[in-house]
Amino acid sequence: LSKRLRELSFLNNGVGIRLVDEINGREENFAYAGGVQGFVEFINKSRTKIHDNIFYSSSDSDAGGVNVTVDVAMQWNDGYNEQVLCFTNNIPQRDGGAHLTGLRAAMTRVINKYIVDNDLAKRARVTTQGDDIREGLACVLSVKVPEPKFSSQTKDRLVSSEVRPAVEDAVSRHLETWLLENPQDARAICEKVVQAATAREAARRAREGTRRKGLLEGAGLPGKLADCQERDPAKSELYIVEGDSAGGSAKQGRDRKFQAILPLRGKVLNVEKARFDRLITSEQITTLITALGTSIGPEFDIDKLRYHRIIIMTDADVDGAHIRTLLLTLFYRQMPELIERGYVYIAQPPLYKVKLGREERYLKDEIEELAFMEEVALRDAGIIPYEGADAIEGDALKEMFELYNEVDKVTERLSRNYDADTLSVIAEGVAIDLSSADATQQSIDDLAEALVDPAHPHLISFDLDYDQELNKHRILVNRNHHGNIRVTVLDNEFVQSKDYALLTRAAETFSGLIGERAKVYRGEGDRRREERIDDFRDAVRWLNSEADRQVTKQRYKGLGEMNPEQLWETTMNPEVRRLLRVQIEDAITADIVFSTLMGDQVEPRRAFIEENALLAANLDV
């Protein structure tokens, strides 16, 4: 939905759209300026532009016999991929159509003519083609057509024949004039086109060399590939495995009837930074291309694909994640149809193996591990909140246990931006009321009573502040940590958040729950164990320690740590395994993410890291 609203905001210049997700407490504002020209700026924001001025034109043409309004903006970057977004009456066409054909024809004719007239390709001794001109192009084309015709109900392709001559006429006239009026931009664009043509020729020669060796023609399968017996692609799977060790286990554990294994050693080439001629000389990439059977580049043929499930299986560490990302970059940039057709998957090997008595279980991640340990901790467990009271056990205890763990996770997450002790006392019953100055001051007094240590009163202080912009009171909590002051702001946004509601629910549940001579117990009969507690936190800690004492845990860091039987049981058996299908929900966002994280520019990547640093988890340092 946000993708579509973003498009509409750009295409309807000056229109602001606000999207509110009340379930998850998120909000997005779409108020982009500049029309299709601003859209191109947005697409290229994480890329290095090779010219400053964006080509833009808006005009009407009746060259096809019908009046068509054509809005187009173009700018080239230093990348190697084309990104053209086409719209008809604000409706997107994923597969292009008549308007895209007219655009390409006009661009090819006008730019080739400019290159020839100015002898820009003479020294390189190459002939430029349409593909060379579109390398690194970011373009948005929007046409307004009365009664447009589409190829299907999904409107993915425009088939109105009158649109092509109209777009070709409008773009030709304005692009020719723009090149003459902006000679520096024109020269930068044409130099890139000539470089692309030169690289294409080099890639053709390299491709012919590799074809003579049989690498791209499928004359012989790679020696590392352990192929399957099945010849029907729809029933065949290819596991791309990190390293020879895991590859050996996978080869032994697989079902050789329909599962093929291809081990890859080391890191795959980052195709975001490499031209095509370098790409096809990479041994790992040519091995993968040969195994898939599709070839690559202009000769890519999806109908020759030998497997309809391509499963990336890497270790659960930083290196494994990096290799997985490099492979996804390769598929997204060079073989996008594999992803579009849903042929690419990511294996989900378990992170833990746990053993409780004779029971063994494999757990996918920390979430499943926490759920299992909670289940073990609560077996035959209960709390007697005070002497003579009825025991809290079963579903009632489980709800409290889950609430406590949820509050623990929320507190840990919020403590990156808020004072942890302040969050704790809110969860224990200190209410925050910002409705008036007096109420806010009372909240400050309550916080001070709970947080200030008489022996070290200088470590924390509080200020009553007023937000002039929102006309709301707020509390500033100033924590002195080794001479550095960290300020926590408790404002109206915090008080109205789902997180604060959870903390107050915990306060209502646990405040006054545990009284004199309370105890927690676990087990039945002779195996029953119990412990005195002062609060619910003591009960949780004791139950967790009892579960830890009984459970043996093994954490897998590499696939090579599993024997073949374990790898089959957990990751390769179709009846029990888990696979994540790779899908593209928002092509523009996907393109920006790949270019930001995998491209040449350092600054956008650094900005991304700084913006998302607090969200990072499971760091392998």
Side-chain angles (χ1 to χ4, degrees), residues 67 88 97 174 498 565 576 581 605:
N67 189 61
T88 303
H174 291 91
K498 286 170 41 178
E565 292 78 16
V576 297
R581 175 178 278 170
R605 187 154 50 249

Side-chain angles (χ1 to χ4, degrees), residues 151-443:
S151 61
S152 66
Q153 287 187 336
T154 58
K155 301 181 180 178
D156 287 339
R157 185 175 182 84
L158 179 68
V159 295
S160 299
S161 58
E162 67 273 13
V163 174
R164 173 180 174 169
V167 173
E168 193 170 345
D169 169 63
V171 174
S172 295
R173 285 186 286 108
H174 291 91
L175 182 57
E176 192 170 354
T177 303
W178 186 86
L179 292 173
L180 294 173
E181 292 176 349
N182 298 273
Q184 287 186 329
D185 296 304
R187 180 169 289 274
I189 293 168
C190 293
E191 284 176 355
K192 177 169 177 61
V193 171
V194 172
Q195 288 174 3
T198 305
R200 174 174 50 78
E201 281 298 306
R204 181 184 61 78
R205 291 191 293 270
R207 190 162 56 245
E208 287 178 354
T210 53
R211 186 182 293 112
R212 282 194 292 272
K213 297 176 185 177
L215 293 177
L216 297 179
E217 285 288 300
L221 293 174
K224 288 185 177 181
L225 174 69
D227 204 7
C228 58
Q229 298 168 355
E230 180 63 60
R231 289 294 171 261
D232 183 355
K235 299 177 182 178
S236 304
E237 303 177 346
L238 175 66
Y239 276 85
I240 304 171
V241 185
E242 175 190 353
D244 291 336
S245 176
S249 296
K251 287 177 183 178
Q252 295 177 51
R254 68 179 174 139
D255 185 335
R256 63 180 64 248
K257 182 180 178 182
F258 66 95
Q259 291 178 327
I261 308 296
L262 180 64
L264 291 181
R265 291 186 61 187
K267 301 288 177 67
V268 180
L269 178 70
N270 181 4
V271 301
E272 189 75 18
K273 299 180 181 180
R275 278 192 180 272
F276 189 77
D277 54 331
R278 187 175 165 216
L279 185 151
I280 62 173
T281 58
S282 165
E283 181 182 352
Q284 292 167 317
I285 291 179
T286 53
T287 298
L288 179 57
I289 294 168
T290 309
L292 294 175
T294 58
S295 192
I296 197 171
E299 297 167 2
F300 176 82
D301 186 354
I302 192 70
D303 293 331
K304 293 183 179 179
L305 182 65
R306 302 178 65 244
Y307 314 93
H308 282 188
R309 276 198 183 91
I310 303 162
I311 302 167
I312 302 171
M313 188 163 69
T314 59
D315 293 343
D317 58 12
V318 169
D319 285 337
H322 190 202
I323 292 170
R324 185 167 63 246
T325 304
L326 290 168
L327 286 168
L328 289 174
T329 306
L330 170 65
F331 291 139
Y332 180 73
R333 290 303 189 198
Q334 298 297 331
M335 306 176 180
E337 199 168 347
L338 296 181
I339 297 177
E340 289 168 3
R341 293 202 181 192
Y343 292 159
V344 180
Y345 297 81
I346 297 173
Q348 299 290 288
L351 202 56
Y352 293 96
K353 176 187 176 182
V354 293
K355 186 175 181 181
L356 176 62
R358 295 182 180 180
E359 178 188 359
E360 284 189 357
R361 196 183 297 185
Y362 295 96
L363 305 174
K364 174 178 169 283
D365 51 25
E366 284 88 354
I367 296 174
E368 281 197 3
E369 185 264 343
L370 181 64
F372 175 78
M373 295 304 295
E374 179 183 298
E375 176 198 330
V376 174
L378 294 176
R379 288 182 185 178
D380 302 321
I383 294 175
I384 299 175
Y386 52 88
E387 192 171 21
D390 293 335
I392 302 171
E393 52 189 16
D395 290 341
L397 180 59
K398 183 181 179 183
E399 286 180 16
M400 290 183 179
F401 203 88
E402 289 175 346
L403 175 61
Y404 180 89
N405 284 334
E406 191 176 355
V407 168
D408 205 39
K409 285 187 287 187
V410 167
T411 302
E412 183 181 359
R413 172 171 55 81
L414 292 179
S415 63
R416 298 169 178 176
N417 296 308
Y418 293 88
D419 179 62
D421 290 341
T422 300
L423 297 172
S424 295
V425 299
I426 292 173
E428 291 169 3
V430 174
I432 306 300
D433 185 352
L434 306 176
S435 59
S436 66
D438 291 340
T440 305
Q441 185 59 54
Q442 182 59 53
S443 298

Side-chain angles (χ1 to χ4, degrees), residues 74-194:
M74 294 187 286
Q75 187 180 40
W76 279 258
N77 56 62
D78 66 349
Y80 309 122
N81 300 287
E82 166 194 10
Q83 186 168 14
V84 179
L85 303 178
C86 300
F87 300 89
T88 303
N89 299 347
N90 287 347
I91 301 168
Q93 281 75 58
R94 185 180 60 181
D95 299 330
H99 45 359
L100 179 60
T101 305
L103 171 73
R104 286 177 170 175
M107 286 173 54
T108 303
R109 187 177 67 253
V110 171
I111 293 178
N112 273 340
K113 181 177 183 299
Y114 188 91
I115 290 172
V116 171
D117 290 348
N118 292 274
D119 291 330
L120 297 177
K122 193 172 183 180
R123 183 178 299 178
R125 297 180 180 178
V126 292
T127 302
T128 56
Q129 299 178 359
D131 289 341
D132 307 321
I133 291 170
R134 296 192 297 272
E135 182 180 286
L137 171 66
C139 172
V140 177
L141 171 63
S142 175
V143 297
K144 299 291 192 297
V145 186
E147 299 182 8
K149 302 180 187 69
F150 301 98
S151 61
S152 66
Q153 287 187 336
T154 58
K155 301 181 180 178
D156 287 339
R157 185 175 182 84
L158 179 68
V159 295
S160 299
S161 58
E162 67 273 13
V163 174
R164 173 180 174 169
V167 173
E168 193 170 345
D169 169 63
V171 174
S172 295
R173 285 186 286 108
H174 291 91
L175 182 57
E176 192 170 354
T177 303
W178 186 86
L179 292 173
L180 294 173
E181 292 176 349
N182 298 273
Q184 287 186 329
D185 296 304
R187 180 169 289 274
I189 293 168
C190 293
E191 284 176 355
K192 177 169 177 61
V193 171
V194 172

